[in-house]
Amino acid sequence: MPSWLAWRKFQLLVRAELRYLATFNTSDRRWQMPACAALASGLPLLVGAYFDQMNYGLAASLGGVVFLYAPNTSLSHRMVSLMACAFGLCACYTLGLMSHYFPQLLLVPVLSFIAILVTMVCRFYALGPPGSLFFIMAAAIGAYAPIDGVQVPLFVGLLTMGCLQACLIAFFYSLYFLPKQAPLPVSPMPPATFEFVIFDSVVIGLFVGISLAVAQVMQMERAYWVPVSCLAVMQGASLRAVWNKQVHRIVGTGIGLVLSWGLLTLPLDKWRVSLMMMVLAFMIEILVVRHYALAVIFITPMTIFLAEGGDLGQGTPDALLQARLLDTVLGSVVGLIGGVCLHSPRFRERVGRQLRRLLPSYYNRT
């Protein structure tokens, strides 16, 4: 191939990628929904700041993300779905915290098992976005939480209180907006096929475990963001979506780390941290349905504050930001490899055939 033709193809490829990166999606999301989401995550922080127990507030704040799982259906269906998601979030966080009782080496199979099981349940019940992402994030943050084993029941209770408070906010939000906007009908669940429910879940869970195993081999400290980044990338519905999400995540994280550095150099106290996280949560929910890379810019400092909030404002942030950048790049690369495998017909045919042999015949009927 002539060099000029290769250069021309390269230019067209770069332009296409930049076009994908610059594409904005339309959204009919009302501003009140991001405001309530920010309130669900921020109220526990304000309570923790008032009692001078920010670690407790951060644990309860993580439960506030369950508000994002509220479907636009009738009130009865919405609240039942939300409470089921709250139970799942509590269970995942509890399993993550319980990993403190076991050797660090067992963390990889534990988190991989959680990812497989949670993804299966989310796909079986056709749970919409953000899908299994926050369940795995809760498990990963719990696994790397700097607490003693005797504190596990306390922190499980704190997260449960955060979930209950988010359900209460969702209830009053629904009461206010349902008369103004007709709820959507409940869609029938799709057939629970082997390929969609079992095969995809096993592959996703295995690559989540692989990403964490690589992080442990590289001796990365508190690498909770590696499996989360891997899962976020693999959730793309197609190989193009997987690639776009990987690019958006890496670019957004790079810019978000600059924002994080600026925020971490500020004279932070417990009240400023609480208010800042509420603003970040509001911006994320405004942008995430419109442009994923822009949302990741604010997701990056939000997750750093959420997982590292007890140490914010102490020392220089350079080491922390470098670790989070490496976490994101490693998780995104492993997630991209997993996405290629997940959407490869040859891989699906060969591995799927072997997986069917390992399962009882009952699960192979679908």
Side-chain angles (χ1 to χ4, degrees):
M1 179 185 298
S3 58
W4 66 268
L5 185 57
W7 174 249
R8 180 60 178 168
K9 287 188 174 182
F10 175 75
Q11 286 181 315
L12 292 175
L13 179 62
V14 171
R15 288 177 184 174
E17 293 300 326
L18 290 176
R19 186 169 61 252
Y20 280 116
L21 187 62
T23 300
F24 279 79
N25 301 316
T26 59
S27 174
D28 58 352
R29 177 174 287 186
R30 298 170 180 263
W31 67 267
Q32 290 89 346
M33 184 272 174
C36 288
L39 192 64
S41 296
L43 274 181
L45 295 172
L46 296 175
V47 174
Y50 179 80
F51 289 104
D52 199 22
Q53 295 288 347
M54 280 303 291
N55 285 338
Y56 293 176
L58 288 165
S61 176
L62 181 59
V65 301
V66 79
F67 176 87
L68 304 177
Y69 286 96
N72 295 324
T73 53
S74 64
L75 181 61
S76 58
H77 181 267
R78 183 179 303 190
M79 296 311 301
V80 168
S81 301
L82 206 58
M83 287 186 284
C85 290
F87 172 79
L89 195 73
C90 294
C92 291
Y93 186 66
T94 302
L95 291 174
L97 290 175
M98 289 177 63
S99 66
H100 288 266
Y101 295 125
F102 306 105
Q104 189 73 9
L105 188 62
L106 293 179
L107 182 57
V108 172
V110 168
L111 196 62
S112 184
F113 171 76
I114 294 174
I116 292 173
L117 185 61
V118 169
T119 306
M120 282 185 180
V121 173
C122 290
R123 286 176 174 246
F124 183 86
Y125 288 103
L127 185 66
S132 59
L133 180 64
F134 286 119
F135 299 105
I136 306 305
M137 187 179 79
I141 290 179
Y144 283 96
I147 65 171
D148 299 325
V150 295
Q151 294 180 296
V152 169
L154 169 63
F155 276 79
V156 171
L158 290 169
L159 182 119
T160 303
M161 291 173 65
C163 290
L164 292 175
Q165 170 266 169
C167 291
L168 191 62
I169 291 174
F171 176 74
F172 286 107
Y173 171 82
S174 302
L175 286 181
Y176 180 76
F177 278 104
L178 276 177
K180 299 181 178 182
Q181 185 176 5
L184 298 177
V186 179
S187 302
M189 290 190 299
T193 63
F194 171 85
E195 293 286 332
F196 183 72
V197 175
I198 298 179
F199 178 82
D200 286 5
S201 302
V202 170
V203 173
I204 290 172
L206 289 178
F207 273 93
V208 167
I210 290 171
S211 68
L212 185 58
V214 174
Q216 289 188 348
V217 170
M218 296 175 63
Q219 298 182 345
M220 299 169 66
E221 186 177 358
R222 296 196 67 193
Y224 58 88
W225 201 237
V226 174
V228 177
S229 297
C230 176
L231 177 64
V233 170
M234 290 192 70
Q235 281 186 328
S238 64
L239 189 55
R240 163 50 70 178
V242 170
W243 171 258
N244 287 347
K245 217 162 190 182
Q246 185 231 21
V247 174
H248 279 231
R249 195 161 194 86
I250 293 177
V251 172
T253 298
I255 301 174
L257 288 175
V258 177
L259 174 62
S260 302
W261 183 86
L263 295 177
L264 290 171
T265 55
L266 296 175
L268 299 172
D269 59 20
K270 55 188 179 181
W271 296 107
R272 289 173 181 169
V273 168
S274 302
L275 294 175
M276 195 177 298
M277 289 186 67
M278 293 179 71
V279 172
L280 291 172
F282 178 80
M283 294 302 300
I284 290 168
E285 295 310 314
I286 285 286
L287 293 170
V288 71
V289 292
R290 293 175 171 86
H291 195 279
Y292 187 65
L294 288 179
V296 172
I297 294 175
F298 297 96
I299 290 173
T300 302
M302 178 72 173
T303 54
I304 291 175
F305 277 65
L306 194 61
E308 312 281 351
D311 301 323
L312 291 178
Q314 303 176 12
T316 59
D318 295 359
L320 174 61
L321 299 182
Q322 290 174 5
R324 295 294 78 80
L325 177 61
L326 184 57
D327 290 349
T328 301
V329 173
L330 175 59
S332 297
V333 170
V334 176
L336 176 62
I337 297 172
V340 171
C341 295
L342 194 63
H343 296 284
S344 169
R346 182 177 299 179
F347 178 87
R348 297 182 70 89
E349 194 277 329
R350 290 184 178 180
V351 178
R353 188 188 323 123
Q354 300 301 322
L355 183 59
R356 285 180 182 273
R357 292 177 179 177
L358 296 176
L359 295 174
S361 58
Y362 172 81
Y363 297 104
N364 291 320
R365 297 175 186 173
T366 56

